[in-house]
Amino acid sequence: MMEPTLRDPTDPLIDHAEGQHFLNEAFKVIVEEVLCKGTDATQKVCEWKEPDELAVLLDLELREMGEPRGRLLQRVRDVAKKPKPLHAWMISHCEICSFTYEVAPVFVLMENEVLRSLRQLLGWTEGDGIFCPGGSMSNMYAINLARYRLFPEVKSQGLWSVPRLAIFTSPESHYSVRKGAAFLGFGTDSLILVNVDDRGHMIPEDLDEKIELSKSQGVVPLLVSCTSGTTVQGAFDPLDQIADVCGKHKLWMHVDAAWGGSVLFSKQHRSLMKGIDRADSVAWNPHKMLLAGLQCSALLLKDTSNLLKQCHGANASYLFQQDKFYDVNLDVGDKSVQCSRKADCLKLWLMWKAIGSNGFEERVNKAFVLVRYLVDEMKNRDGFHLLNDPEFVNVCFWFIPPSLRGKEGNADYPSRLAKVSSVAPVIKERMMKKGTLMVGYQPLGDKVNFFRVTVFSPLISHKDLDFFLDEIERLGINL
């Protein structure tokens, strides 16, 4: 087979006219199959297919290469046909009760296929998983599963049945880890923060020391939540070394890769997540870097013991009868703390079918190329000072006003530099009131307010980045 030809990374990845035409045709298919036929009393209520037969019919497999538009439209038609009463899908983008195979056969099989393909990117040949309503919930699921695996009695006997537990994470991890500790009854004091280096990476040696200290204080270490792509700096924790520590102490290793997980599509950049195959669970949000429709968040598990169902299942007899005429393992509703869920997997599956793994790889690689262009341009302009050379697609920088440039040797420079903290808020106010940009800023530790821009949309061009820099200069020139 010939190797696919990759696009020029500076070219737009999406042809707007072709994309709009496809969406229009797909909408017509949905209207015909879902609204017209789906509400016609002369039509069948459903067209039953056995799981193996349906999987072949739909061709769920996800491949390296994308599919032509005609074939993709047929996929939309096939999905819309089974089962018939899916009019709510058109109204609210797949507001389907995806909990049993008989109710949502297409989406049960589709979710299994998408999760399997994502696990393959992690280097796992087997495992489990579920699509969750956001990365925060994925992180909370992981904490709950880790506790249940170590103390299954907590499900029936409650918090009084377990000792004091500790969760280890870095101060640059997502705030949902702290929220999860509170929500799940651990308490925020059970969260132990591991030191990071200047670039925001968790320090494995400090993790080991803090675990040992917790043990000496009678606390039971439970889980390490590390991060691949921190929110602010885009740092990737050293997973291999952290896995060594987790293995030594027999701790659950969770990786919050909600932001950075998509680098796994790129042969050039997947080394940022070296060691991901050693994790117990991974949170990944394709609605972030891959731009799948919001929301699209997966929790992936190495576990093969059906831990999700054991931990969360309530065995509702009116839904999950064990004497059904098909494989009841396809009734996935009891894996969730919800019951019905939206078919979030469809968004990623349809994108993956359209552009293939190679298309996602191009998208990731292009983002890194654009970031390098932006950083090089910043280094060639006065007034832009990087927090660090970016590891990912997060570019953090200060804009130094002309009044402070070239005065580093002055005695009052340190005190004047502290005033840079007010520069970002002023520029932010100006850009919002002008309506030209919307870029966030924040402090970090002892570092005063700096801007943070993430560059990952396939529609961004060099011209857009030039405008961004020009506008920051224009808005801050008289400060």
Side-chain angles (χ1 to χ4, degrees):
M1 180 181 295
M2 295 181 61
E3 286 294 318
T5 302
L6 295 180
R7 299 176 179 87
D8 184 329
T10 62
D11 288 343
L13 190 62
I14 296 173
D15 184 313
H16 290 280
E18 181 180 357
Q20 188 59 51
H21 183 58
F22 168 75
L23 289 175
N24 291 339
E25 290 187 64
F27 185 75
K28 290 177 183 177
V29 169
I30 293 170
V31 169
E32 177 189 350
E33 295 292 339
V34 179
L35 184 61
C36 298
K37 294 183 180 179
T39 57
D40 185 345
T42 66
Q43 299 286 321
K44 290 182 178 180
V45 174
C46 70
E47 295 181 15
W48 179 263
K49 298 291 182 183
E50 295 296 329
D52 291 345
E53 183 185 7
L54 185 57
V56 172
L57 174 67
L58 295 172
D59 186 20
L60 292 170
E61 183 182 351
L62 299 166
R63 302 181 177 89
E64 296 295 314
M65 301 296 292
E67 295 189 349
R69 188 176 65 199
R71 190 177 301 169
L72 202 60
L73 279 171
Q74 185 58 45
R75 302 282 175 253
V76 174
R77 187 176 296 277
D78 290 340
V79 168
K81 282 182 177 180
K82 297 172 178 60
K84 289 287 185 186
L86 300 186
H87 49 277
W89 178 28
M90 186 192 72
I91 297 170
S92 187
H93 297 291
C94 295
E95 199 164 297
I96 308 302
C97 296
S98 184
F99 53 85
T100 63
Y101 178 76
E102 60 194 306
V103 169
V106 170
F107 299 116
V108 168
L109 297 183
M110 189 180 288
E111 183 174 42
N112 285 344
E113 175 61 25
V114 173
L115 291 170
R116 184 191 67 80
S117 297
L118 291 175
R119 288 195 302 267
Q120 280 189 330
L121 290 167
L122 300 178
W124 299 346
T125 57
E126 53 186 355
D128 201 355
I130 192 170
F131 274 79
C132 299
S136 293
M137 284 302 300
S138 296
N139 290 336
M140 294 182 196
Y141 265 51
I143 297 171
N144 199 42
L145 290 166
R147 180 173 61 184
Y148 177 82
R149 186 180 70 168
L150 194 60
F151 298 103
E153 61 271 22
V154 72
K155 183 175 179 179
S156 58
Q157 299 176 21
L159 297 179
W160 66 267
S161 65
V162 299
R164 183 181 172 193
L165 304 173
I167 299 167
F168 300 83
T169 194
S170 88
E172 297 205 18
S173 66
H174 193 260
Y175 62 81
S176 60
V177 181
R178 179 174 295 276
K179 280 193 171 186
F183 181 73
L184 294 168
F186 291 82
T188 55
D189 287 349
S190 68
L191 205 65
I192 297 177
L193 298 182
V194 181
N195 292 338
V196 296
D197 61 21
D198 288 342
R199 298 182 65 86
H201 306 113
M202 184 186 291
I203 300 173
E205 294 78 11
D206 188 60
L207 171 64
D208 190 38
E209 290 177 9
K210 285 190 163 71
I211 292 172
E212 293 285 7
L213 178 61
S214 295
K215 287 181 174 179
S216 70
Q217 296 171 339
V219 177
V220 177
L222 177 68
L223 170 143
V224 176
S225 182
C226 36
T227 312
S228 288
T230 58
T231 304
V232 178
Q233 296 196 75
F236 286 74
D237 287 337
L239 302 183
D240 250 344
Q241 296 94 312
I242 293 172
D244 289 340
V245 177
C246 290
K248 172 184 174 182
H249 296 283
K250 296 182 172 56
L251 271 66
W252 182 293
M253 178 178 168
H254 174 64
V255 180
D256 178 0
W259 176 216
S262 297
V263 301
L264 291 171
F265 277 103
S266 169
K267 290 182 280 292
Q268 182 179 355
H269 300 290
R270 63 175 293 121
S271 58
L272 287 167
M273 293 181 66
K274 184 177 182 296
I276 188 62
D277 56 302
R278 302 175 66 186
D280 293 289
S281 57
V282 176
W284 186 348
N285 286 7
H287 69 235
K288 293 185 183 292
M289 192 172 196
L290 297 183
L291 295 173
L294 188 71
Q295 65 195 13
C296 186
S297 306
L299 173 68
L300 306 169
L301 298 173
K302 187 181 288 183
D303 174 76
T304 58
S305 69
N306 214 6
L307 191 66
L308 267 170
K309 187 174 181 180
Q310 294 172 34
C311 181
H312 300 140
N315 302 313
S317 60
Y318 69 95
L319 287 176
F320 306 115
Q321 303 93 334
Q322 297 303 295
D323 54 356
K324 292 182 178 180
F325 63 94
Y326 59 83
D327 182 1
V328 294
N329 289 317
L330 293 170
D331 290 350
V332 297
D334 244 4
K335 291 183 176 183
S336 164
V337 294
Q338 308 158 251
C339 179
S340 56
R341 293 177 295 125
K342 287 189 176 182
D344 292 327
C345 62
L346 173 64
K347 305 159 192 175
L348 180 57
W349 180 81
L350 198 57
M351 286 179 65
W352 208 328
K353 288 296 255 185
I355 66 175
S357 302
N358 290 337
F360 285 141
E361 181 174 27
E362 289 179 50
R363 183 165 290 186
V364 172
N365 289 345
K366 180 183 178 182
F368 278 87
V369 170
L370 289 171
V371 164
R372 180 43 50 194
Y373 174 83
L374 178 61
V375 168
D376 289 345
E377 287 296 304
M378 282 183 172
K379 290 179 178 179
N380 289 328
R381 297 190 185 210
D382 292 333
F384 291 92
H385 182 76
L386 289 164
L387 180 67
N388 280 304
D389 210 48
E391 180 177 17
F392 189 33
V393 295
N394 302 39
V395 182
C396 301
F397 67 95
W398 290 279
F399 180 73
I400 309 299
S403 60
L404 283 175
R405 297 175 200 168
K407 300 180 180 179
E408 290 80 1
N410 294 0
D412 64 343
Y413 183 76
S415 62
R416 296 182 68 182
L417 187 61
K419 295 179 181 178
V420 171
S421 181
S422 65
V423 170
V426 172
I427 294 178
K428 169 78 172 183
E429 179 184 0
R430 290 177 177 179
M431 71 172 68
M432 294 293 288
K433 289 181 176 179
K434 291 284 186 182
T436 53
L437 296 172
M438 189 162 63
V439 182
Y441 69 87
Q442 67 279 306
L444 182 66
D446 60 353
K447 299 176 177 65
V448 299
N449 284 328
F450 54 86
F451 286 108
R452 175 180 64 94
V453 61
T454 54
V455 183
F456 61 95
S457 170
L459 303 182
I460 291 175
S461 66
H462 289 177
K463 183 179 179 180
D464 296 324
L465 298 177
D466 292 339
F467 171 80
F468 166 73
L469 296 175
D470 292 342
E471 189 67 2
I472 293 290
E473 288 180 332
R474 188 181 71 81
L475 295 170
I477 196 69
N478 63 350
L479 294 177

